[in-house]
Amino acid sequence: MRAGCLDMAAPTGDRAMSRLDQYVGKVLRAVPIACLIALFLLLFVNVVARSFQLAGFAWFDEIVQGLFAWMVFAGAAALWREHDHFQVLWLPEVLAPQTSRILQIFIALVGLVFLLAMTWYGASLTMRANALTPILDLPTSLFYAAIPVSGAVMVVYSLADLFRLFSQRDRQHDT
């Protein structure tokens, strides 16, 4: 498992960034875990209540949609931070080091363009959403906000990865 994008053996200013990175990593892992636990508990209570004809929860679907959205997008950001998302690594591994680095930079740039578009359009959707959920009267923008928030986190980590890739290239030229 990777400790984020920041070097742990860095000067004092970088140590503060490393602590921030660790905190962000913990939050990014805690949010989907909490959502999954809440989803499980809600599903369990709903199944028991319906099985024994105790009650029906009309608001159930609204909460499930919001929890699921936050679980998926915060989980995606956590995976992005850790580089634990699905990747095909055989091509960069078989290429020459310089060619592999160019490919990695290209892939990072394509990913960054996608993330910028996702964040932009997700923010636009969130800002335009003025509907309320039918039963709990929650703003739907709370659910949509998962898209630009997670996208912004992934953009920051993509930029850090690009910086790292360019720094490695410069260090190789210096030696």
Side-chain angles (χ1 to χ4, degrees):
M1 179 135 70
R2 190 171 163 257
C5 295
L6 303 173
D7 185 8
M8 302 305 269
T12 306
D14 289 343
R15 277 191 233 134
M17 289 301 292
S18 179
R19 283 194 299 272
L20 176 64
D21 175 52
Q22 290 173 354
Y23 176 75
V24 168
K26 288 178 183 177
V27 170
L28 288 176
R29 284 187 297 273
V31 169
I33 290 169
C35 289
L36 183 62
I37 290 169
L39 284 167
F40 174 78
L41 291 174
L42 282 171
L43 183 61
F44 179 76
V45 168
N46 194 38
V47 167
V48 169
R50 285 184 180 201
S51 295
F52 294 109
Q53 297 178 352
L54 299 174
F57 303 112
W59 49 265
F60 178 78
D61 290 338
E62 294 176 9
I63 299 299
V64 167
Q65 287 175 357
L67 288 172
F68 195 76
W70 279 98
M71 180 182 71
V72 166
F73 283 100
L79 290 172
W80 194 264
R81 174 190 172 270
E82 298 287 334
H83 286 220
D84 281 343
H85 54 286
F86 178 76
Q87 300 178 61
V88 179
L89 298 175
W90 67 268
L91 186 57
E93 290 174 357
V94 298
L95 294 174
Q98 186 61 24
T99 308
S100 176
R101 182 166 291 104
I102 291 169
L103 177 63
Q104 289 173 348
I105 289 170
F106 175 74
I107 291 169
L109 287 171
V110 169
L112 183 61
V113 168
F114 169 78
L115 291 171
L116 287 168
M118 181 185 88
T119 304
W120 177 265
Y121 288 109
S124 175
L125 174 67
T126 302
M127 298 301 250
R128 286 181 296 147
N130 54 11
L132 298 175
T133 60
I135 296 170
L136 295 177
D137 283 335
L138 294 172
T140 56
S141 60
L142 289 176
F143 304 158
Y144 298 146
I147 300 168
V149 169
S150 65
V153 169
M154 290 188 271
V155 164
V156 168
Y157 280 101
S158 293
L159 290 171
D161 285 342
L162 275 171
F163 179 75
R164 180 185 44 78
L165 285 167
F166 282 118
S167 295
Q168 285 176 351
R169 191 177 119 224
D170 292 341
R171 272 190 251 136
Q172 282 186 348
H173 285 284
D174 292 342
T175 56

